Amino acid sequence: MGNPISGERSAACARISKFYNRAAWIDGRAEEQLEQVAGWPGMTAVAGFPDLHPGRFGPVGAAFLADRIWPQLVGPDIGCGMALFRLDLPRRRLKLDKAARRLAVLEDGADLHQALAALDAAGLTGLIGPEALGTIGGGNHFCEVQVVGEVMDHTRTDLQKDDLCLLVHSGSRGRGAGIFQGLDDSWKQGFAAESDAAARYLALHDAATRWARVNRALIASSASEALGSEARLICDTVHNHVVPHSDSWLHRKGAACPEGGLVPLAGSREAPSYLLEVPDTVSEALGSVSHGAGRKYDRSSMHGRIRKTRSDLAALTHTRFGGRVICGDRDLLLEEAGQAYKDPEQVLQNLEGFGIANAVARLLPLVTFKTMGGAA
DNA sequence: ATGTTC
């Protein structure tokens, strides 16, 4: 593996670099999307990562460099990302069922005073309100208590085996979706970088991205307080955004932007997550890396893959690691089952094989909090 | 993804 597998399909098509090999599980429709987007006007480089899977407006698990701004390549959940924290709590003091019950406070969101103070500290007062701040949301979002199973690289972390961590995956909730839906039709051809439309979008996008980061911090704060602990940030990495990059615009869709050279790779409730270090030495990767295992099966097909008897559904709330899953929404419970996701070990193997990431620590899921309610 | 989707 050494170099990314790249191909130039036509003069008008951006260079496509694929950071996965034949051993990776890649849906053919996602590759078609990758190739389609590479042909969009002004597209200069595209990178596909091993968590690649089909999305609504384009593939997820990819980064796109263009001379203009394409809001659909960021998608509705502007600023969505993953934040990893170390919990100041010995593993022996974590009782899974008790912890699972206590995490129900996440349903309420952040305390209003705390939310307003956090928004103010982020310079968002007057730009964006506190509503829904501190809530996880739906879909693939979660707040998960994890235990360090192994540290592979002690030079990049002070985490130790058996330390507890918190991995928070959430975004800008209704904010990003509102910004995206509020755009007029001109976005379909992309926004010229110097246009007023681009400036308006970017101002809203940047505020939503900062709000999402505050959201993840407040989720971690509520969760750690509920567990009688404190959370110390290790890294917070955005995977849906557009930012300036070498005189162009870099769009990340389900592709993580490392922070301090680190990024969490989310596995699933039935598989390990990883803390990765990203050397950023392969320019074709566009400063990006996989954000997780990536979906293997889409949501609707999961309804046909898992039986919906009471015992089958109950089995989904306990994992092979002895972990707990809190998800009162039955549809979401099976749509997000571990088997809906690719094998993160395989994703990691590809990332390491192409030299774009190295495992620092392996993290095992203990309590995956999704939502209390929504049961049909 | 979504103060949601009859």
Side-chain angles (χ1 to χ4, degrees), chain A residues 91 147-154 157 159-163 272-275 345 348 359-364:
Chain A
R91 186 182 184 180
V147 62
V148 177
E150 183 184 358
V151 177
M152 293 80 148
D153 184 354
H154 285 281
T157 183
L159 284 175
Q160 302 287 330
K161 180 172 162 53
D162 290 332
D163 281 353
S273 294
Y274 288 89
L275 176 61
E345 315 262 1
L348 174 62
V360 172
R362 180 187 294 114
L363 309 157
L364 307 176

Side-chain angles (χ1 to χ4, degrees), chain A residues 277-335:
Chain A
E277 76 92 13
V278 178
D280 196 20
T281 50
V282 181
S283 63
E284 292 93 334
L286 303 174
S288 308
V289 70
S290 290
H291 74 317
R295 246 185 195 286
K296 190 172 184 179
Y297 302 122
D298 64 41
R299 287 172 194 289
S300 58
S301 81
M302 286 308 295
H303 287 269
R305 293 177 192 277
I306 294 177
R307 295 157 63 91
K308 296 185 186 179
T309 66
R310 191 189 292 185
S311 64
D312 286 312
L313 290 170
L316 293 175
T317 65
H318 289 69
T319 74
R320 68 187 179 91
F321 296 107
R324 307 288 190 270
V325 178
I326 298 87
C327 184
D329 180 330
R330 288 182 187 182
D331 288 338
L332 194 55
L333 182 63
L334 65 91
E335 288 166 4

Side-chain angles (χ1 to χ4, degrees), chain A residues 184-206:
Chain A
D184 62 37
D185 280 352
S186 58
W187 63 268
K188 289 175 182 167
Q189 288 306 309
F191 290 141
E194 307 303 324
S195 66
D196 289 346
R200 280 194 299 274
Y201 173 75
L202 285 173
L204 295 167
H205 163 287
D206 292 353

